Amino acid sequence: MLPIHCAVIKIGSNVVTSDSGQPDEARMKHLVGQVAILLRKGIQVLLVTSGAVAFGRQEIALQEKMNPVLKKQIWASAGQIALIQKYKNLFATNGYQVAQILVTKEDFRDRKHYLNMRNCILGLLSQGIIPILNENDTVAITELMFTDNDELASLTAAMVNADTLILMTNVDGVYDGPPSDPDSKLIPVIGHKMPELGSMISPTKSSFGRGGMLTKLTMARKSADLGIQVIIGNGKKDYILQGILEENVPFTYFEPKPSKQSQKKWLAHGEQYYKGEVVINDGAKSALASEKIISLLPIGIGSISGEFSKGDIIRIIGENGEKIGLGKSEYNSATALQVLGKKNQKPFIHYDYLYLFQHD
Ligand SMILES: Nc1ncnc2c1ncn2[C@@H]1O[C@H](COP(=O)(O)OP(=O)(O)O)[C@@H](O)[C@H]1O
Ligand SMILES: N[C@@H](CCC(=O)OP(=O)(O)O)C(=O)O
């Protein structure tokens, strides 16, 4: 039996739709029943679901020549209602309440948004209500977009300190070649020391998916590095969640590294979310690289760029531009400029909020 206490389960567009792109209500009903089994076993569950665009597309006919971004916004904003209503009804028949959370990348970048979102989700979980997340496709266009919902699911798992991330898609897991090739084999376990696997992923996506298997693999590895066990499995198969729990169906399992503190999990995902940058001198660089528990002090900082508030994520780079790590700033940018390079100041980034990139 796989040990699971708190799981983020991501359901891909192709799981909630049939091959023709129509919402697959029978599949959704079955999957909600499967989630209910986990809930009855005392497992906390958060859902990240795609499908808003697919639901909208089947309800609203739009002209072929219409701007594709606008089309997606219209379908997603209308389709989200039908999608969440479907989940609400299906969970209600199993005796559970749900809540809807629509987010953008910006909500993970801004510490206040992040904490508000986290408090709300933890509050929902404490009341036994199932949070159902999706990207807010109305506002999330171009640079505000997650790569896809696999990224949102991975960020969510780190945010709530989940021990498990389950990515449900329309294949059994990661294959060592194109899944359509009969010679390709499913990879049952991916350890964190396994070499680069990107070359075996073909750019094929399922007909309505956004990111493809490569984002799933990238996000799965990132989560596993943070101590979260990750499963990529086939959400189109009956009894799949029970099967994963009992380990009697095929799936790909990503072994978790020994866990890190949740603060550091938040920071590890911060590379795209930092608000400012500091260049540190060589003395500070070697101090941080040592085995000692060390905070980054203003005396070790040569220059600061960007406008940030206390609590925002800052990227740390070396004098030659090399990426060193990320941390939560104890100063706002104006105050940081005043203490820069000075002795006897409080840490700029406290050790507990400092995440250093691994260099092989
Ligand atoms: N090596 C591989 N192993 C498994 N799937 C792969 C591989 N290479 C490409 N794929 C494709 O990735 C697809 C799943 O990704 P995606 O379309 O984003 O699904 P979802 O909608 O579930 O997020 C599969 O349908 C499969 O065709
Ligand atoms: N927010 C979009 C989901 C886009 C997406 O990431 O899709 P997928 O690759 O199937 O997980 C929707 O609800 O349609």
Side-chain angles (χ1 to χ4, degrees):
M1 190 78 95
L2 211 58
I4 305 181
H5 300 289
C6 175
V8 172
I9 302 177
K10 185 259 170 166
I11 301 178
S13 304
N14 290 280
V15 176
V16 292
T17 52
S18 61
D19 292 345
S20 62
Q22 299 290 316
D24 187 346
E25 300 193 0
R27 178 57 46 204
M28 287 176 75
K29 183 175 177 201
H30 181 80
L31 267 175
V32 168
Q34 287 285 286
V35 171
I37 291 174
L38 302 197
L39 292 166
R40 277 186 224 109
K41 287 186 189 293
I43 297 172
Q44 275 188 332
V45 175
L46 296 91
L47 277 193
V48 173
T49 188
S50 303
V53 174
F55 268 73
R57 191 189 283 115
Q58 70 119 34
E59 283 182 355
I60 299 168
L62 295 174
Q63 285 179 327
E64 195 69 40
K65 60 175 197 267
M66 191 183 232
N67 173 316
V69 175
L70 181 59
K71 255 189 191 171
K72 197 193 97 175
Q73 286 175 297
I74 294 173
W75 279 333
S77 51
Q80 180 66 26
I81 304 171
L83 178 71
I84 203 75
Q85 187 65 50
K86 188 86 224 153
Y87 277 115
K88 183 176 159 77
N89 293 343
L90 290 171
F91 274 106
T93 57
N94 284 279
Y96 293 99
Q97 286 179 305
V98 302
Q100 170 181 262
I101 294 147
L102 297 177
V103 293
T104 67
K105 225 172 173 169
E106 188 60 22
D107 299 319
F108 282 87
R109 200 167 165 248
D110 185 293
R111 178 104 182 126
K112 272 205 194 107
H113 282 210
Y114 178 86
L115 288 176
N116 292 345
M117 175 167 60
R118 184 164 160 264
N119 281 345
C120 173
I121 290 175
L122 295 179
L124 291 166
L125 290 172
S126 73
Q127 299 307 305
I129 302 168
I130 298 129
I132 304 186
L133 293 90
N134 193 0
E135 180 162 17
N136 188 345
D137 295 306
T138 311
V139 288
I141 53 174
T142 59
E143 76 284 351
L144 291 177
M145 262 162 77
F146 297 105
T147 318
D148 63 10
N149 270 345
D150 298 315
E151 184 181 13
L152 170 58
S154 168
L155 286 162
T156 305
M159 174 171 69
V160 299
N161 218 1
D163 55 8
T164 308
L165 170 64
I166 303 178
L167 302 175
M168 299 267 80
T169 184
N170 61 348
V171 286
D172 285 350
V174 185
Y175 287 81
D176 61 3
S180 52
D181 181 344
D183 289 336
S184 300
K185 287 187 202 63
L186 184 77
I187 308 175
V189 179
I190 297 184
H192 34 86
K193 294 223 169 72
M194 259 169 106
E196 187 48 48
L197 295 164
S199 57
M200 55 179 68
I201 308 300
S202 58
T204 12
K205 289 170 203 156
S206 47
S207 34
F208 298 107
R210 193 199 289 167
M213 188 48 73
L214 202 53
T215 5
K216 265 184 242 307
L217 191 66
T218 311
M219 290 305 143
R221 288 205 105 147
K222 198 158 199 169
S223 298
D225 274 353
L226 297 175
I228 300 166
Q229 62 178 349
V230 184
I231 290 115
I232 299 184
N234 197 335
K236 288 281 200 195
K237 281 196 168 162
D238 285 349
Y239 308 108
I240 183 69
L241 290 174
Q242 252 178 309
I244 288 171
L245 196 62
E246 290 163 14
E247 300 180 79
N248 58 16
V249 290
F251 58 83
T252 299
Y253 180 79
F254 293 74
E255 279 175 350
K257 263 195 187 168
S259 91
K260 294 191 180 145
Q261 299 163 27
S262 62
Q263 280 292 347
K264 297 211 176 192
K265 286 185 188 171
W266 168 64
L267 287 166
H269 274 291
E271 201 166 4
Q272 294 166 45
Y273 305 105
Y274 63 88
K275 291 263 178 98
E277 202 164 59
V278 293
V279 178
I280 61 169
N281 59 35
D282 283 345
K285 187 179 156 184
S286 41
L288 292 183
S290 72
E291 295 289 301
K292 292 190 202 128
I293 294 180
I294 281 175
S295 300
L296 177 62
L297 300 171
I299 193 163
I301 300 173
S303 64
I304 293 176
S305 56
E307 258 189 47
F308 50 89
S309 309
K310 183 173 180 227
D312 281 341
I313 301 184
I314 304 299
R315 187 162 80 156
I316 306 161
I317 56 172
E319 285 173 339
N320 299 318
E322 67 278 24
K323 294 178 195 169
I324 293 175
L326 297 159
K328 188 182 92 165
S329 174
E330 293 296 324
Y331 294 84
N332 62 39
S333 41
T335 325
L337 283 169
Q338 288 165 15
V339 296
L340 173 82
K342 290 193 177 151
K343 277 188 190 167
N344 303 326
Q345 304 295 325
K346 71 168 182 182
F348 178 71
I349 294 170
H350 188 276
Y351 172 78
D352 286 345
Y353 302 96
L354 180 65
Y355 175 79
L356 300 174
F357 299 129
Q358 309 279 336
H359 294 287
D360 299 324

